[in-house]
Amino acid sequence: MKHDTIVLDHGSGGLLSHELTEKIMLPAFDNDMLSRLDDSAVIESQKGRMAFSTDSFVVDPLFFPGGNIGDLAVNGTVNDIAMSGAVPLYLSAAMIIEEGFAIRDLETIVASMAAAARCAGVKIVAGDTKVVPRGAADKIFINTSGVGWIAQGVEISAALARAGDCVILSGTMADHGMTILNQREGLAFDADVKTDSAALNKMVARMLAAAPAGGLRVLRDPTRGGVATALNEIALASNVGICINESALLVRKPVAGLCELLGIDPLYAANEGKLIAIVDKDSADTVLAAIKQDPLGGDACIIGEAISDHPGRVVMETAIGGRRIVDMLTGGQLPRIC
Amino acid sequence: MKHDTIVLDHGSGGLLSHELTEKIMLPAFDNDMLSRLDDSAVIESQKGRMAFSTDSFVVDPLFFPGGNIGDLAVNGTVNDIAMSGAVPLYLSAAMIIEEGFAIRDLETIVASMAAAARCAGVKIVAGDTKVVPRGAADKIFINTSGVGWIAQGVEISAALARAGDCVILSGTMADHGMTILNQREGLAFDADVKTDSAALNKMVARMLAAAPAGGLRVLRDPTRGGVATALNEIALASNVGICINESALLVRKPVAGLCELLGIDPLYAANEGKLIAIVDKDSADTVLAAIKQDPLGGDACIIGEAISDHPGRVVMETAIGGRRIVDMLTGGQLPRIC
């Protein structure tokens, strides 16, 4: 590369844009669909239902224990596609970069994207890079969009929970959110706090393979707004009540310590490698066992149930035997968590 | 809406995020796939080749004669998909908004996106909104990604030009780029200078319907970097030379005046509603006639040809009979044109 930092001409569409594409993007993402450099990638499509999702990532800081904005951006969209029951296959990556951004940091981020894509079994086939002057953006923002296809017979939606269904959470809460806050607040809790960012598509594939037809109703990854907000969305979309047991919720010790210190309720903190599943009661054990077989699902457990009472609302039975309403996040969370 | 301006909680994933989605996005983009609010949109897919494209828009200013960032973002991705010979059908819209941005401006932009989508016959089925603190982004950035399917027998790529083919340009040059510069430099040339931003998919449909099999080889919309850069990309990808005639190139008078004043070569200025087509010589008249029948194609003409000489290079025969090399844009263009 001719420069050590991004200059405006890297986004001009001209020679330097081409250099950036050819020297950094193409070698990292390495596939025929991208390297044709036509205005669109051309993909072999399947008949049937396709999932299509988009997400922009503006996390601050860019680098944090366990990951960076690059793998976060890939895993985030892979997971959104997987949560519709689809098999994610193709992603786009669009970057908005601030003038002066270090090329070396860009290379690190792009390498993480490529590694995350390989790990999830998806290809990054389309891209775009814009550069804005100093001060017009904070370092780098990444949008990923993606597609995948849904197998016949798979019907997953936030609207499909029914009273009597079990609510499964695939692991601990708040790891990602508290990692970012820990970094940002300079708390230097260097304890074992790191992001849980990971692709969940293989876990979902295990669940779909194990569940009887119709047994798996809802999948959602509790990112921004945390488990509490995701459960509220499901309760509203399905018009059921949801009751969860506080004692079934897991938070890793150093994460719990940070939550207490910062006054953050882990129920509202972001996760980037966890899923909530709502499953038919009769399928719950089978699906739970499938999750636990996945390397990312060892801590999965049933955290509650969908009920016919108080449709649209989430309540929690607390560890000391009380009940409290768990509202949707109303504010107060720090921005730029993902 | 509870607020007049965007606050951080509009991006939290919680209640205010939901209000923004329900009150602004859903009514404007109005379709079942989006309003399910699952993590992915679910689309009825077709067997065969699918085009998939992404583009981020960071244009400054946001509002300019003839359009704004919203319709630009929709038309831009519609065009990228159309340039692969596909019929664009579904788009995503992901916004990164600066805290303090006026809700009224957001509504205007969203309304323009919805109108542009209707006009192009595409649906906005997936979305995402992030909010960053004041100073972390300049007002609003929009990413659109999209998909469309390519009919059997259609083979369009920048790599398919052959010596002897004709080069068609669908209209005047530099309208969009000079509109933005005019606004930004505060030149107040209130003359008749406005963006050409428009969806080209209907024009492409006419061309595909008219062209004999294999007659239409390359389509590209000359946005960033202008006609010169797009032709260079084609010459490189197809390993042909391209020779264009200066006297065939059209620039509207007020645009030409602005170019002269600002020292901008219109060959390098951005267009947002024009296409370059490379067509088999025998198909050229038929395709040109089809373009001219389109409301956006009245000024189309043959501007040159692909040749076997100097593969990978573009030359121009000037109006006074000389020849000059037309390089790819090497820099000097102002940023944030699109």
Side-chain angles (χ1 to χ4, degrees):
Chain A
M1 297 286 296
K2 286 197 195 83
H3 297 75
D4 293 334
T5 59
I6 291 289
V7 298
L8 288 171
D9 282 338
H10 282 122
S12 66
L15 267 183
L16 283 181
S17 295
H18 280 254
E19 192 199 26
L20 194 70
T21 304
E22 307 252 332
K23 295 213 172 144
I24 294 188
M25 308 299 179
L26 294 188
F29 299 147
D30 187 31
N31 63 73
D32 291 349
M33 283 158 275
L34 183 66
S35 58
R36 279 169 47 137
L37 291 181
D38 276 329
D39 287 331
S40 298
V42 177
I43 288 163
E44 208 49 46
S45 171
Q46 302 169 20
K47 195 164 166 55
R49 290 166 302 154
M50 186 180 87
F52 176 34
S53 192
T54 189
D55 215 344
S56 294
F57 293 82
V58 299
V59 63
D60 172 37
L62 299 176
F63 300 94
F64 41 81
N68 64 50
I69 190 174
D71 42 84
L72 192 69
V74 169
N75 292 334
T77 290
V78 164
N79 290 347
D80 278 345
I81 296 167
M83 293 309 124
S84 64
V87 178
L89 288 178
Y90 300 109
L91 258 54
S92 62
M95 311 201 183
I96 298 171
I97 313 179
E98 185 186 14
E99 177 189 15
F101 190 68
I103 297 277
R104 190 182 297 178
D105 285 342
L106 181 63
E107 286 173 327
T108 304
I109 289 166
V110 166
S112 297
M113 296 182 79
R118 268 195 306 276
C119 183
V122 300
K123 286 190 161 67
I124 295 172
V125 297
D128 177 55
T129 305
K130 293 291 189 307
V131 178
V132 297
R134 263 172 229 275
D138 187 15
K139 300 186 279 290
I140 187 170
F141 302 143
I142 302 179
N143 175 280
T144 50
S145 301
V147 297
W149 281 268
I150 302 171
Q152 260 196 323
V154 173
E155 284 292 347
I156 310 280
S157 169
L160 295 179
R162 297 179 208 165
D165 287 352
C166 289
V167 180
I168 298 173
L169 178 61
S170 70
T172 57
M173 297 193 301
D175 296 274
H176 178 73
M178 299 319 293
T179 301
I180 299 302
L181 286 192
N182 188 30
Q183 285 283 297
R184 198 149 72 199
E185 304 296 301
L187 293 170
F189 255 70
D190 55 8
D192 187 21
V193 179
K194 62 177 188 181
T195 182
D196 57 335
S197 172
L200 295 165
N201 53 327
K202 289 173 188 171
M203 182 188 291
V204 171
R206 287 175 193 269
M207 295 165 72
L208 287 169
L216 185 53
R217 323 243 215 237
V218 180
L219 289 170
R220 183 146 293 201
D221 57 335
T223 57
R224 278 186 292 182
V227 168
T229 301
L231 289 175
N232 269 279
E233 289 167 349
I234 296 167
L236 283 170
S238 294
N239 200 33
V240 294
I242 290 178
C243 181
I244 57 174
N245 307 309
E246 187 174 24
S247 56
L249 298 170
L250 300 177
V251 183
R252 293 172 61 251
K253 235 191 190 125
V255 174
L258 257 179
C259 283
E260 214 170 296
L261 187 76
L262 295 173
I264 302 276
D265 185 340
L267 265 175
Y268 291 90
N271 312 277
E272 293 288 346
K274 301 292 158 29
L275 60 78
I276 291 169
I278 311 260
V279 295
D280 174 47
K281 201 182 187 84
D282 294 337
S283 310
D285 290 340
T286 313
V287 173
L288 182 62
I291 299 177
K292 280 177 165 291
Q293 273 167 22
D294 191 87
L296 299 171
D299 294 327
C301 60
I302 295 174
I303 63 164
E305 59 179 338
I307 55 180
S308 50
D309 275 3
H310 53 77
R313 307 225 74 171
V314 179
V315 299
M316 182 163 76
E317 296 191 338
T318 63
I320 53 165
R323 278 169 81 92
R324 74 167 171 99
I325 288 174
V326 177
D327 273 327
M328 196 173 278
L329 179 68
T330 50
Q333 275 285 25
L334 287 171
R336 303 186 66 187
I337 284 293
C338 59
Chain B
M1 296 285 296
K2 287 198 195 82
H3 297 75
D4 292 335
T5 59
I6 291 289
V7 299
L8 288 172
D9 282 337
H10 281 123
S12 66
L15 268 183
L16 282 180
S17 295
H18 279 254
E19 191 199 27
L20 194 69
T21 304
E22 307 254 331
K23 296 214 173 145
I24 296 189
M25 307 299 178
L26 294 188
F29 299 147
D30 188 32
N31 64 74
D32 291 348
M33 283 159 277
L34 183 66
S35 57
R36 279 169 47 134
L37 291 181
D38 277 329
D39 287 333
S40 300
V42 176
I43 288 163
E44 208 49 45
S45 171
Q46 303 170 19
K47 195 166 165 55
R49 290 167 302 153
M50 187 181 86
F52 177 34
S53 192
T54 189
D55 216 343
S56 294
F57 293 82
V58 298
V59 65
D60 172 37
L62 299 175
F63 300 94
F64 41 81
N68 64 48
I69 189 173
D71 42 84
L72 193 68
V74 168
N75 291 334
T77 290
V78 163
N79 290 346
D80 278 345
I81 297 168
M83 294 307 125
S84 63
V87 178
L89 288 179
Y90 300 110
L91 259 54
S92 62
M95 311 201 183
I96 297 171
I97 313 179
E98 185 186 14
E99 178 189 13
F101 190 68
I103 296 277
R104 189 182 297 178
D105 285 343
L106 181 63
E107 286 173 327
T108 304
I109 289 166
V110 166
S112 297
M113 295 183 77
R118 266 194 307 277
C119 182
V122 300
K123 287 190 161 69
I124 295 172
V125 297
D128 177 56
T129 306
K130 293 291 190 306
V131 178
V132 297
R134 264 171 227 273
D138 188 14
K139 300 186 280 288
I140 186 169
F141 302 143
I142 302 179
N143 175 280
T144 49
S145 300
V147 297
W149 281 266
I150 302 171
Q152 260 198 324
V154 173
E155 284 291 345
I156 310 281
S157 168
L160 296 178
R162 297 179 208 164
D165 287 352
C166 289
V167 179
I168 298 174
L169 178 60
S170 70
T172 57
M173 297 193 301
D175 296 273
H176 178 73
M178 299 319 294
T179 301
I180 299 302
L181 287 191
N182 188 29
Q183 285 282 297
R184 197 148 71 198
E185 305 296 303
L187 293 170
F189 256 69
D190 57 6
D192 187 22
V193 179
K194 63 175 189 182
T195 182
D196 58 335
S197 174
L200 295 165
N201 53 327
K202 289 173 188 171
M203 181 189 290
V204 171
R206 287 174 192 269
M207 295 165 72
L208 287 169
L216 185 53
R217 320 240 216 238
V218 180
L219 290 170
R220 185 148 290 204
D221 56 336
T223 57
R224 279 185 292 182
V227 169
T229 301
L231 290 175
N232 270 279
E233 289 168 348
I234 296 166
L236 283 169
S238 295
N239 200 33
V240 295
I242 290 179
C243 180
I244 57 173
N245 307 308
E246 187 173 25
S247 56
L249 298 170
L250 300 177
V251 183
R252 293 172 61 250
K253 233 189 192 129
V255 175
L258 257 179
C259 283
E260 214 170 297
L261 187 76
L262 295 171
I264 303 276
D265 185 341
L267 265 176
Y268 291 91
N271 311 277
E272 292 289 345
K274 301 292 157 33
L275 61 78
I276 292 169
I278 312 263
V279 295
D280 173 48
K281 201 182 189 83
D282 294 338
S283 310
D285 289 340
T286 313
V287 173
L288 182 62
I291 300 177
K292 281 176 164 293
Q293 274 167 23
D294 190 88
L296 299 171
D299 293 328
C301 61
I302 295 172
I303 63 164
E305 59 178 339
I307 56 180
S308 50
D309 274 4
H310 54 77
R313 306 227 74 170
V314 179
V315 298
M316 181 163 74
E317 295 190 341
T318 63
I320 54 166
R323 279 168 80 91
R324 74 168 172 97
I325 288 174
V326 177
D327 274 327
M328 196 173 280
L329 179 68
T330 51
Q333 275 286 27
L334 287 172
R336 304 186 65 187
I337 283 293
C338 59

